[in-house]
Amino acid sequence: MADVQKLVVVGVGLLGGSIAKAALARGVAAEVVGVGRNREKLAQAQRNGVVTSATTDMSAACCGADLIVVCTPVDTIAAHVRDAAAACNRPTLITDAGSTKADIVGELPAELPGRCRFVGSHPLAGSEKTGAENAAADLFVGRTVVVTPTDTSRGEDVEWLRAFWTALGASVRLMPPDEHDRALAATSHAPHLIAVALALATATEDLPLTASGWLDTTRIAAADAQLWRPIFAANRANVLKALDEFGKTLASLRHALESESAGDLTNLLAEARRVRKAAEEIRNGNALGS
Amino acid sequence: MADVQKLVVVGVGLLGGSIAKAALARGVAAEVVGVGRNREKLAQAQRNGVVTSATTDMSAACCGADLIVVCTPVDTIAAHVRDAAAACNRPTLITDAGSTKADIVGELPAELPGRCRFVGSHPLAGSEKTGAENAAADLFVGRTVVVTPTDTSRGEDVEWLRAFWTALGASVRLMPPDEHDRALAATSHAPHLIAVALALATATEDLPLTASGWLDTTRIAAADAQLWRPIFAANRANVLKALDEFGKTLASLRHALESESAGDLTNLLAEARRVRKAAEEIRNGNALGS
């Protein structure tokens, strides 16, 4: 890939901090400028070597940037992309790390200020932890990053983003924004609400009787509500459909249990085991290939 | 606790093997006899030092036993307890490691052969892995074991079991069998079916887009169907009730999402986070206290 002399990360939290650390650790960028609102947190990220410099001033940060990655909550990404484009002194590629894509693409004008271009990214990596203090340079190793070009995206921008994420250790998949949002509703957003529902359905007095099964199943329910609420809002229709699909499957399991159909229940349990193992093999394959 | 010269473990799988290994490693038992059906697996467990001896002959194993722990699938436990009692040459305490309790207690006669006594146990520890080859001497460290005495249980047997599990590193909670089954339906059995439903609801073509959230939430769906089907059957009514409770919570989340009530959704997400963190603190507290 072309050298990134200056990488700008807008929003230096867990994801933005990890992109910054990975880019520096792997020599993908010579300089990483962190942009944020909280001066104290930015100063701390700089002291900890997460970024090489930090500022609250988007204009100062974006001047001379080779790539800008917006890593803020999904309901603020489009506005930050517009601000960043307006702050650039030359046509610059801008991407993001948001968990939804169609809303962001839909909110952005066909032409950004200063002939900047936006192509969306979604790294399928994260943690229930938050903040730059939990950022990790290896967060993307063996993980998938979905890049979501549209009809107007330039092929060279897409290939450049592929090279960028690959250089951070990830495998890149290209998908249209709509298709990304449908799939992620099923694999991430609805599962998150299911974990939340399970945590909420468990009576406080029963919590001492939870074990690793419950703790694993509810792990993502510990994530930051402020980050997730906008994701659900942005992908509402797809999430509702995915929840309906889950509801049907749960109803068929419930029916097998209620009707004492041991054969049906055994088959469903065996099939779920097969699906779970297939997903694990895909992940292990990605990790080996990286 | 009184010395266990001879501990008998019926069913040398992950749980039985871990009890055997823990008892030997911690000097809780001088001798552990494994009882099973598969001669090859028994011989392997003996070679690997999981048990000190192994046999397919219940009578030979139980003669002179100080404690017998039945670690077979829940639908076979009561029969094995009766067989073990009939094989004892003196009144012996028998327990188990099954995930349901009321059905087992209900199936056993008030008086076992040879004046043996049964008091149920359920170690809240396990793994999606199976088999003695995955047994671990530290499986019970910092974990809870529920011991389920009934009106006819002798206090000294209950205290003796408490001492036994405590010596393996666990914290013991006493609960009546019915109450155990109601609580475990909510904290383990229904969550298992929810994880299974999520795995089944995910389309094969979307599996490459799963990440750690989905993988955590579905982890228990990889467990052995042959072990779990009898658990669901034995605790059917409680599991159906727990699924209904979960269904209500999921419906209220769905409603908050559908009605675009951002405040409601944020509150529900924040409350789920609180519940999840409370469960984690209880577990960490147990681990520290052990």
Side-chain angles (χ1 to χ4, degrees):
Chain A
M1 66 181 296
D3 279 347
V4 181
Q5 278 302 311
K6 182 176 176 181
L7 171 67
V8 174
V9 172
V10 181
V12 191
L14 179 94
L15 268 182
S18 297
I19 291 168
K21 277 180 114 166
L24 289 170
R26 292 174 164 250
V28 173
E31 182 194 347
V32 179
V33 184
V35 183
R37 288 180 306 185
N38 185 317
R39 282 175 204 279
E40 203 178 309
K41 285 188 181 173
L42 285 173
Q44 200 186 348
Q46 190 178 347
R47 274 198 306 275
N48 294 341
V50 174
V51 292
T52 48
S53 68
T55 174
T56 57
D57 179 349
M58 184 80 94
S59 301
C62 292
C63 182
D66 296 299
L67 176 65
I68 299 167
V69 189
V70 178
C71 304
T72 59
V74 294
D75 55 342
T76 66
I77 289 174
H80 287 310
V81 169
R82 275 194 303 263
D83 291 351
C88 286
N89 59 337
R90 62 181 185 198
T92 305
L93 178 59
I94 305 174
T95 189
D96 73 329
S99 297
T100 59
K101 293 271 89 66
D103 59 319
I104 294 164
V105 171
E107 259 189 79
L108 289 172
E111 294 203 357
L112 286 173
R115 294 194 290 126
C116 289
R117 294 97 56 202
F118 174 80
V119 178
S121 302
H122 176 201
L124 306 189
S127 167
E128 76 274 17
K129 294 176 186 164
T130 57
E133 63 274 22
N134 289 307
D138 62 354
L139 191 71
F140 309 104
V141 175
R143 300 290 173 260
T144 296
V145 175
V146 184
V147 170
T148 60
T150 63
D151 294 344
T152 60
S153 300
R154 284 164 34 164
E156 63 197 270
D157 286 342
V158 175
E159 288 316 306
W160 209 80
L161 274 185
R162 185 201 290 276
F164 174 75
W165 290 113
T166 303
L168 300 196
S171 305
V172 170
R173 276 177 81 98
L174 302 183
M175 292 176 86
D178 286 344
E179 173 57 16
H180 165 276
D181 285 7
R182 183 208 58 73
L184 268 289
T187 60
S188 170
H189 311 162
H192 196 110
L193 286 180
I194 290 160
V196 164
L198 177 54
L200 292 173
T202 310
T204 306
E205 66 265 27
D206 291 339
L207 291 181
L209 297 166
T210 56
S212 54
W214 189 95
L215 287 163
D216 285 340
T217 307
T218 57
R219 180 157 296 118
I220 47 176
D224 185 355
Q226 299 303 328
L227 280 180
W228 277 89
R229 196 205 42 76
I231 295 172
F232 299 128
N235 203 17
R236 182 177 289 117
N238 285 315
V239 175
L240 291 172
K241 268 187 220 164
L243 287 179
D244 289 344
E245 200 53 47
F246 168 80
K248 281 182 213 165
T249 318
L250 188 61
S252 66
L253 272 170
R254 198 190 192 289
H255 179 74
L257 180 62
E258 199 166 22
S259 63
E260 310 192 14
S261 168
D264 286 359
L265 192 55
T266 305
N267 289 343
L268 290 167
L269 295 175
E271 173 63 10
R273 189 182 204 203
R274 196 196 58 72
V275 172
R276 179 61 179 63
K277 291 203 170 277
E280 209 170 320
E281 273 159 30
I282 290 169
R283 186 186 179 96
N284 292 342
N286 279 351
L288 284 174
S290 69
Chain B
M1 64 182 294
D3 279 347
V4 181
Q5 280 301 313
K6 183 176 176 179
L7 171 67
V8 174
V9 172
V10 180
V12 190
L14 179 95
L15 268 181
S18 296
I19 291 168
K21 276 179 113 165
L24 289 170
R26 292 175 163 250
V28 173
E31 181 194 350
V32 179
V33 184
V35 183
R37 287 180 308 185
N38 186 317
R39 283 176 203 279
E40 204 177 309
K41 285 188 182 172
L42 285 173
Q44 200 186 349
Q46 190 177 347
R47 273 197 307 274
N48 295 341
V50 174
V51 292
T52 49
S53 67
T55 175
T56 57
D57 180 351
M58 183 81 91
S59 302
C62 292
C63 181
D66 296 299
L67 176 66
I68 299 168
V69 189
V70 177
C71 303
T72 59
V74 293
D75 54 343
T76 67
I77 290 174
H80 287 310
V81 169
R82 276 194 301 261
D83 291 351
C88 286
N89 59 336
R90 62 181 185 200
T92 306
L93 177 59
I94 306 175
T95 189
D96 73 327
S99 298
T100 59
K101 292 270 88 63
D103 59 318
I104 293 165
V105 171
E107 260 189 77
L108 290 172
E111 296 204 356
L112 286 172
R115 294 194 290 128
C116 289
R117 292 98 55 202
F118 175 80
V119 178
S121 301
H122 177 202
L124 305 188
S127 167
E128 75 274 17
K129 294 177 186 165
T130 56
E133 62 274 22
N134 290 307
D138 62 353
L139 191 71
F140 308 104
V141 175
R143 301 291 172 262
T144 296
V145 174
V146 184
V147 171
T148 59
T150 62
D151 294 345
T152 60
S153 300
R154 286 162 35 164
E156 63 196 270
D157 286 342
V158 176
E159 289 316 308
W160 209 79
L161 275 185
R162 185 200 289 276
F164 174 75
W165 291 114
T166 304
L168 301 196
S171 304
V172 169
R173 276 178 82 97
L174 302 184
M175 293 177 86
D178 284 344
E179 174 56 15
H180 165 276
D181 285 7
R182 185 208 58 73
L184 267 288
T187 60
S188 170
H189 311 162
H192 196 112
L193 285 180
I194 289 160
V196 164
L198 176 55
L200 291 173
T202 310
T204 306
E205 64 266 28
D206 290 339
L207 291 181
L209 297 165
T210 56
S212 54
W214 189 94
L215 287 164
D216 285 340
T217 308
T218 58
R219 180 157 295 118
I220 47 175
D224 186 354
Q226 299 303 328
L227 280 181
W228 278 87
R229 197 205 41 76
I231 294 172
F232 299 127
N235 203 17
R236 181 178 290 117
N238 284 315
V239 175
L240 290 171
K241 268 187 220 161
L243 286 179
D244 289 345
E245 201 52 45
F246 168 79
K248 280 182 214 163
T249 318
L250 188 62
S252 67
L253 271 170
R254 196 189 192 289
H255 179 76
L257 181 62
E258 199 166 23
S259 63
E260 310 193 13
S261 168
D264 286 357
L265 192 55
T266 304
N267 290 343
L268 290 167
L269 295 175
E271 172 62 10
R273 190 184 203 200
R274 196 196 57 73
V275 173
R276 179 62 179 61
K277 290 200 172 281
E280 210 170 322
E281 273 159 30
I282 291 169
R283 187 186 179 97
N284 293 342
N286 279 349
L288 285 174
S290 69

